Amino acid sequence: MNQITVRGIAPELEREIRRKAKATGKSLNKVMLELIGGSAGPSIRRNKPAGATLAGLAGGWSEKEAREFEDSVRVFEEIDEEMWK
């Protein structure tokens, strides 16, 4: 991962960055990345690492696929009253 050192930050700006990090529960690094990324414009996006979300890691179903699965296993939810006598 790349690193950049920023020197000469005004004390007021540093306090504001630290305040924002504390208020949002984010790390200083995360706040700085958001600030820098926001000023760089929407054309520059930080790619999330593979597996950053469970769906990205394991995959996911569309609503149609989920409905089809639910329909296919519905028979297993039925109780056979005769078996329980």
Side-chain angles (χ1 to χ4, degrees):
M1 183 154 301
N2 297 330
Q3 288 184 307
I4 297 175
T5 301
V6 180
R7 293 185 180 87
I9 297 175
E12 304 84 33
L13 179 56
E14 179 188 358
R15 280 192 297 274
E16 181 59 23
I17 293 167
R18 288 184 183 279
R19 185 206 59 76
K20 185 172 184 171
K22 186 174 183 179
T24 59
K26 296 177 182 176
S27 69
L28 287 172
N29 189 70
K30 179 75 173 167
V31 170
M32 292 296 295
L33 287 172
E34 289 173 353
L35 291 169
I36 293 167
S39 66
S43 62
I44 299 175
R45 301 269 187 232
R46 181 170 184 230
N47 293 332
K48 290 184 179 179
T53 65
L54 182 58
L57 179 64
W61 290 344
S62 67
E63 283 194 38
K64 180 181 180 231
E65 290 169 322
R67 260 193 323 273
E68 289 171 353
F69 175 78
E70 291 289 331
D71 291 342
S72 70
V73 297
R74 189 163 288 119
V75 67
F76 300 111
E77 296 175 2
E78 296 173 10
I79 298 172
D80 184 351
E81 296 293 334
E82 290 298 314
M83 284 184 79
W84 295 98
K85 288 185 179 180

